[in-house]
Amino acid sequence: MGETIVLPAQSPRRTELEALGWAVIARSFGAQLDAERIDEQRLRALVVGAPGSVRALAAADVDAVLALDRATIGDYPGSVATQHEPLDRDGATPSAARRAFGAFRTDAGLVAMTFVSVDGAEAETDFTVVDRAQRGRGLGVAVKAASVLELSAAGVTRFRTGGSADNAAIQRANDALGYVRDEEWVTLGRVGG
């Protein structure tokens, strides 16, 4: 990939760069959910309504996490702003500062997961992914809902997430959870050379 620059969509620098021959090659977004807007009943229904079981991931799940990560590494739309780096064993191991939640199907093992960085009362979703064969069944929204429920019960009051503007599934999941989009970003690339 050639040189890229990521900017807020409304940045005056964007106009300057576009006049110099740069073009938008990807769009991304950020969104927030504050504790007072959490609809716990709705989120619990999303978790319970997912096929299989949804729970927090632990160190014992690392091999399953790595397998799902390998199987889905090419499935992240967008550009540099929304890239997902392959996990190693350390990155796949949940901790107090990096929580993880997964959905399991008895016939397929771990089929969806989300990882969330936690810093005091704030949490930021690092990534959410669902196995290709399992998409469209509410698993992505279920693991994100489980993360919000468990972390809010532990004192997190502000949740952040984001992703590619081309990822309609994650946008629908965020909407279902009550996230409000509050940032738009563009990735610019040089046109022609």
Side-chain angles (χ1 to χ4, degrees):
M1 182 181 297
E3 183 181 2
T4 58
I5 298 174
V6 180
L7 298 169
Q10 302 304 318
S11 171
R13 188 163 175 231
R14 173 183 174 184
T15 304
E16 296 167 15
L17 290 167
E18 288 177 330
L20 295 172
W22 292 73
V24 174
I25 59 171
R27 296 177 183 276
S28 54
F29 68 92
Q32 184 164 304
L33 174 60
D34 293 315
E36 64 269 8
R37 295 195 65 244
I38 295 172
D39 182 343
E40 288 186 21
Q41 184 174 351
R42 176 167 172 66
L43 270 58
R44 287 187 205 297
L46 291 169
V47 172
V48 171
S53 63
V54 177
R55 64 169 172 79
L57 297 175
D61 298 308
V62 169
D63 289 335
V65 167
L66 289 170
L68 182 56
D69 190 57
R70 280 191 302 274
T72 58
I73 197 65
D75 295 352
Y76 294 85
S79 186
V80 295
T82 55
Q83 281 181 343
H84 172 71
E85 294 297 322
L87 297 174
D88 58 16
R89 286 196 86 71
D90 287 339
T93 304
S95 67
R98 192 154 187 263
R99 303 291 305 278
F101 299 82
F104 293 82
R105 306 251 346 231
T106 54
D107 58 339
L110 179 65
V111 294
M113 62 185 171
T114 191
F115 274 69
V116 182
S117 294
V118 180
D119 184 7
E122 298 189 5
E124 172 107 21
T125 302
D126 296 329
F127 69 91
T128 304
V129 70
V130 179
D131 178 84
R132 282 182 212 112
Q134 303 292 328
R135 292 182 184 151
R137 298 177 182 180
L139 295 163
V141 72
V143 295
K144 287 191 82 162
S147 74
V148 169
L149 287 167
E150 189 162 318
L151 295 174
S152 65
V156 172
T157 58
R158 175 167 291 154
F159 296 84
R160 298 283 310 160
T161 194
S164 169
D166 294 327
N167 189 339
I170 203 64
Q171 291 184 63
R172 283 191 304 272
N174 292 336
D175 290 346
L177 297 175
Y179 279 91
V180 175
R181 284 177 66 156
D182 59 3
E183 295 179 358
E184 291 186 48
W185 296 79
V186 292
T187 301
L188 301 172
R190 286 197 182 273
V191 177

